[in-house]
C-alpha cells in the first residue's frame, strides 16, 4: 500500500470544496494512507516538501496549477527525493498536466494516481531552476505573461493564440546558441523555446518528435510572426509538426548556453523569472517519476 503526501495549494484551488472530497474518496477506494501538506500564502511548495520526513511517504500528489507543480518538481529535484509524482490540475492553463495527458477532472486525475502506470521523464535545468516543459525567450515569454487571466478561464489554451496574434509586431532579436564545445550558431527571430516536452494543450504540440524521455533538449526559433504565420502555426501545432514550418528552425542537444541581442524577457514553465542571459540549460535524463495513463507509457 502506498502512503501519499498530498500537497494542497490554498492559492490555486488545490484545497477547494471540489478537490479535497475527491482526494478523500480516491484514498478510500484505493485503500491508501495519506496526509495533507497545505501550502498557504507566502509559503513555498518546494520548502514544504524539503521539510517532510522522507520515510513518511512514498508518493506525492500535487493539487494545484503549473506554478505549484513546478515548485514541487524543483523540491524533488533539488533535494534528491526520488518518489513518483501525481498531478491533480487545478489551475487555469495546466500545461504540465496536459503535456503528460493528465485529465483536467480531479477524480479522473486521481484515478491515474491510484492505478496508473509510472513513467520516468527528463527534467531540464536553467540556471538554478528545474523545468518540465521548457524555457521561453522573447515572444515566447510574452506568449505567457501577456495572456490575461480572464481569457485563460474562458478560452483555456486558445487564449494564448489570441496573445500570439496581438504580438505580431514583436521586433526581432539575435539569438545565439552556444554548445559545450564552444561552437556558436547565430539565429535572428522573435522567439526562442528550449523544450523538454511537446504538449501545448487542446491537442496542440510543438512536434511529435519532441519527447520528454529522449535525453535531449529541443531548441525552436521562430524567425518572424505575421497574422498569417500565427494561424498557420496554430494549424501545424494541431498536427504536431510546427518545427517543420518555413519560419521555424529546430535544433537538438543535451546542453546549450543561450545569448541574445538585445536582452529579452525569459519564462520557465510559464513563470516569468528574473534570470539574465547568458544562461546555461541542460537536461537530466529520466530523473523524475510521474503517474500517467497506461497508454502514455
Amino acid at each position: 500500500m502506498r502512503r501519499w503526501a498530498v500537497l494542497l495549494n490554498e492559492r490555486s484551488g488545490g484545497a477547494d470544496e471540489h478537490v479535497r472530497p475527491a482526494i478523500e474518496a480516491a484514498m478510500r477506494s484505493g485503500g491508501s494512507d495519506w496526509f495533507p501538506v497545505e501550502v498557504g500564502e507566502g509559503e513555498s511548495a518546494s520548502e514544504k516538501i524539503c521539510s517532510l520526513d522522507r520515510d513518511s511517504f512514498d508518493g506525492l500528489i500535487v493539487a494545484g496549477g503549473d506554478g505549484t507543480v513546478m515548485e514541487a518538481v524543483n523540491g524533488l529535484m533539488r533535494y534528491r527525493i526520488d518518489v513518483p509524482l501525481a498531478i491533480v490540475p487545478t489551475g487555469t492553463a495546466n500545461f504540465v498536466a496536459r503535456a503528460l495527458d493528465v485529465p483536467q477532472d480531479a477524480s479522473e486525475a486521481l484515478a491515474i494516481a491510484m492505478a496508473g502506470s509510472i513513467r520516468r521523464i527528463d527534467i531540464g535545468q536553467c540556471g538554478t531552476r528545474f523545468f518540465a516543459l521548457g524555457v521561453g525567450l522573447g515572444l515566447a515569454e510574452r506568449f505567457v505573461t501577456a495572456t490575461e487571466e480572464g481569457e485563460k478561464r474562458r478560452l483555456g489554451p486558445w487564449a494564448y493564440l489570441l496573445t500570439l496574434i496581438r504580438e505580431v509586431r514583436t521586433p526581432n532579436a539575435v539569438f545565439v546558441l552556444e554548445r559545450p564545445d564552444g561552437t556558436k550558431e547565430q539565429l535572428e527571430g522573435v522567439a526562442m523555446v528550449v523544450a523538454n516536452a511537446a504538449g501545448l494543450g487542446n491537442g496542440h504540440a510543438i512536434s511529435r518528435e519532441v519527447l520528454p524521455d529522449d535525453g535531449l533538449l529541443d531548441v525552436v526559433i521562430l524567425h518572424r510572426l505575421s497574422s498569417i504565420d500565427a494561424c498557420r502555426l496554430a494549424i501545424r501545432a494541431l498536427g504536431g509538426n510546427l518545427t517543420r514550418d518555413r519560419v521555424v528552425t529546430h535544433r537538438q542537444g543535451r546542453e546549450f548556453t543561450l545569448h541574445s541581442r538585445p536582452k529579452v524577457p525569459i519564462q520557465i514553465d510559464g513563470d516569468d523569472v528574473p534570470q539574465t542571459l547568458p544562461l546555461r540549460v541542460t537536461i537530466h535524463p529520466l530523473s523524475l517519476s510521474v503517474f500517467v495513463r497506461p497508454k502514455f507509457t
Side-chain angles (χ1 to χ4, degrees), residues 27 43 57 60 62 74 76 78 101 108 117 128 162 164 169 184 187 200 207 223 228 238 263 274 276:
M27 295 299 168
E43 293 185 311
F57 67 107
L60 176 67
V62 178
N74 272 262
L76 294 176
R78 188 171 294 123
D101 195 29
E108 292 179 18
S117 302
T128 59
L162 292 182
L164 200 62
R169 295 182 180 178
K184 295 181 180 180
L187 297 156
L200 298 174
S207 170
H223 296 294
I228 294 174
L238 279 171
K263 301 294 185 184
T276 57

Side-chain angles (χ1 to χ4, degrees), residues 224 226-237 245-247:
R224 69 164 195 267
S226 66
S227 296
I228 294 174
D229 291 328
C231 294
R232 188 183 67 254
L233 290 169
I235 293 170
R236 281 194 174 275
D245 193 87
R246 61 179 177 270
V247 298

Side-chain angles (χ1 to χ4, degrees), residues 13 19 23 43 71 90 114 127 140 158 190 236 241 276 288 293:
V19 175
I23 292 170
E43 293 185 311
E71 280 184 22
T90 66
M114 297 298 106
W158 288 105
V190 295
R236 281 194 174 275
N241 60 358
T276 57
L288 180 71
R293 299 180 198 264

